[in-house]
Amino acid sequence: MPYSPGGQRAVPADEDGLGPQDRVSAAPRAQIVLHAARGLAFAVWDDGKLVRSLSLSPDSGIIEDIGERLPFELPYWEGRQPVEPFPPFEDEVPYPLPFHPLGLGERALLEFFGFYVEGFSDEDDAPEPVVDIWDVELHGFRVTATRQDGATD
């Protein structure tokens, strides 16, 4: 399943999870990728069909794990990117996941969109980002109410 930024559309996550089916059905012949960083959530639809969805957090564990794991996920699930707490856990229960969600989330950003935010350690095999996030211009808009006479507040 190739991921080319030109063929993808970003879909914002709903407050209650990954359920933007109305938005997905509006683009039936596209690959749509969703990424959210509250814990970690991402999903991929090809031609309107969900092919991969993952949602998890340290507090809730695995919330949703649908579809075949993508190649970039495997080192995380195989325990090659473990959480090393600092300071070490003493009387607490062990970390509930074999990796930290933010680490896999960063890798997902890189694989899906060509950039990451926090970066990787020297031991990671992550390639350099394709997109420099500091070169991306974000435009902001303000919505204001219109009065009856046509003037804005």
Side-chain angles (χ1 to χ4, degrees):
M1 176 171 28
Y3 295 100
S4 61
Q8 298 174 347
R9 296 182 188 203
V11 179
D14 290 341
E15 286 297 316
D16 58 351
L18 296 178
Q21 193 58 44
D22 57 327
R23 296 179 204 120
V24 171
S25 61
R29 296 188 187 269
Q31 182 180 72
I32 298 175
V33 177
L34 173 143
H35 184 282
R38 281 191 216 151
L40 168 64
F42 66 80
V44 179
W45 290 264
D46 279 330
D47 297 329
K49 180 183 177 215
L50 180 67
V51 294
R52 179 68 177 128
S53 178
L54 178 63
S55 178
L56 52 83
S57 75
D59 295 332
S60 302
I62 298 170
I63 300 162
E64 184 170 81
D65 187 1
I66 297 172
E68 192 173 320
R69 291 180 175 158
L70 302 173
F72 71 86
E73 295 179 61
L74 298 180
Y76 295 87
W77 290 108
E78 293 166 354
R80 293 187 278 166
Q81 302 289 338
V83 173
E84 296 178 16
F86 184 80
F89 294 134
E90 291 181 12
D91 294 334
E92 295 185 35
V93 254
Y95 197 76
L97 298 167
F99 54 86
H100 196 288
L102 296 178
L104 179 55
E106 286 289 297
R107 187 58 185 248
L109 279 175
L110 180 62
E111 295 292 328
F112 292 139
F113 304 113
F115 71 89
Y116 51 79
V117 179
E118 296 292 324
F120 294 93
S121 72
D122 292 337
E123 293 88 36
D124 292 328
D125 64 346
E128 288 296 313
V130 178
V131 177
D132 182 347
I133 61 171
W134 302 110
D135 288 341
V136 176
E137 291 185 35
L138 298 178
H139 300 278
F141 300 91
R142 181 174 46 174
V143 178
T144 60
T146 303
R147 296 191 320 221
Q148 292 289 358
D149 61 7
T152 59
D153 292 335

